[in-house]
Amino acid sequence: MIEPEFLDKQLIALDYLSNTNEVEQVLYGGSAGSGKTRLGCTWQILRRLKYPGTRSLIGRSELATLKKTTLNTFFEVCEYLELKAGKHFTVNLQSNTITFFNKSEIYLADLFAYPSNPNFDNLGSLEITDYFIDEVSEVTEKAVSIVHSRCRYKLNEYDLKPKGLMTCNPSKGWIYNEFYLKATNEELPKHRAFVQALPTDNPHLHPSYLESLQRLPEYDRKRLFEGNWNFDDDSDKLFNTFNL
């Protein structure tokens, strides 16, 4: 296996995710093209290889979307690291698991808040070592809390701490309130960290991709290129209110 290369912002996130750091949850991203999913997949692969027999979760709001997007990036990272399916890992899309040659496992999870399963009972008996949630803004705070509470598998054996990596683009909701806003106001609790990453932080992007982001409508350009979390001001609203 070759050594992976990381962007500077990715290295900051990985430092937070190290076992010597008291941070347990890291939110990474804030724009398109900042290497969010690639970071999550690479981190997960390296953890599973480093700690034999451990288990983790890679989740997204919908499992079908995860398989079409996040899982494709996972395979790309494996190819880059010269890890071969059938030799170094196997994928079972019926049980939604990835098993490595050292008996480490990754569980692919659907984290949508279905009305029939408001308490995420399907995660109740799950025991994991760590997790990666892609596009976490599409997932409820409760889902993340329950996933984090499942982090206990082989922590004592390897002297590990619960660790979770989450990625997303700027959005409103609980992620904005609990991570971005608190980080901006220097009120983020010690067990959490926020790493803002922009497309301009990624030197591997083709210039034409950056140009396409800059040509987006103002609302989307602010979010996806500038990484602006306060994107819904009056100038961005589709309908204006007039005083008649």
Side-chain angles (χ1 to χ4, degrees):
M1 187 185 80
I2 66 173
E3 290 293 324
E5 296 181 1
F6 295 102
L7 306 177
D8 290 343
K9 291 292 182 68
Q10 291 175 331
L11 288 173
I12 294 173
L14 289 171
D15 183 62
Y16 283 127
L17 291 166
S18 70
N19 294 313
T20 59
N21 199 295
E22 61 185 331
V23 172
E24 294 185 5
Q25 291 181 314
V26 178
L27 178 66
Y28 177 89
S31 70
S34 55
K36 301 184 297 295
T37 304
R38 191 174 183 87
L39 170 63
C41 291
T42 305
W43 176 64
Q44 279 290 294
I45 292 169
L46 295 179
R47 291 274 286 190
R48 302 290 71 76
L49 295 178
K50 184 175 181 179
Y51 301 109
T54 55
R55 297 194 203 113
S56 67
L57 176 148
I58 294 181
R60 192 161 175 168
S61 176
E62 295 183 357
L63 185 60
T65 304
L66 187 155
K67 291 179 177 179
K68 293 176 182 177
T69 56
T70 311
L71 190 57
N72 282 336
T73 302
F74 182 93
F75 293 145
E76 290 173 3
V77 174
C78 285
E79 183 177 1
Y80 172 79
L81 297 176
E82 299 181 347
L83 299 174
K84 300 184 183 299
K87 179 180 179 181
H88 300 107
F89 67 94
T90 58
V91 181
N92 188 326
L93 294 181
Q94 290 188 336
S95 61
N96 297 316
T97 55
I98 301 171
T99 305
F100 289 84
F101 65 93
N102 62 0
K103 298 184 179 181
S104 288
E105 290 184 319
I106 294 175
Y107 171 56
L108 306 178
D110 186 319
L111 298 177
F112 186 78
Y114 294 100
S116 60
N117 187 29
N119 296 316
F120 299 93
D121 294 329
N122 59 316
L123 301 176
S125 59
L126 184 67
E127 292 187 16
I128 56 176
T129 311
D130 48 62
Y131 61 93
F132 162 45
I133 301 178
D134 206 6
E135 299 298 342
V136 70
S137 59
E138 301 171 357
V139 177
T140 64
E141 184 176 9
K142 183 172 184 177
V144 174
S145 297
I146 291 177
V147 169
H148 192 79
S149 72
R150 303 294 91 195
C151 289
R152 62 175 183 262
Y153 191 66
K154 294 202 173 185
L155 296 183
N156 290 332
E157 179 175 333
Y158 288 108
D159 191 24
L160 300 176
K161 299 177 182 178
K163 296 286 180 176
L165 172 64
M166 298 172 287
T167 63
C168 73
N169 293 319
S171 64
K172 297 299 182 178
W174 76 273
I175 284 291
Y176 175 88
N177 295 325
E178 295 300 322
F179 279 88
Y180 172 76
L181 201 57
K182 288 186 177 181
T184 302
N185 296 329
E186 299 184 351
E187 298 173 349
L188 206 59
K190 292 182 179 180
H191 73 282
R192 285 178 168 173
F194 170 60
V195 180
Q196 173 89 20
L198 302 175
T200 50
D201 295 322
N202 188 351
H204 304 299
L205 293 178
H206 195 278
S208 62
Y209 178 71
L210 295 177
E211 292 172 2
S212 67
L213 291 177
Q214 290 176 294
R215 290 195 298 266
L216 287 171
E218 183 179 14
Y219 179 90
D220 295 311
R221 189 189 71 251
K222 285 185 175 182
R223 291 180 59 242
L224 302 178
F225 180 73
E226 299 175 11
N228 187 342
W229 289 72
N230 297 304
F231 52 82
D232 60 346
D233 57 27
D234 289 341
S235 64
D236 292 324
K237 291 179 181 177
L238 182 60
F239 299 103
N240 290 317
T241 302
F242 296 94
N243 294 320
L244 299 178

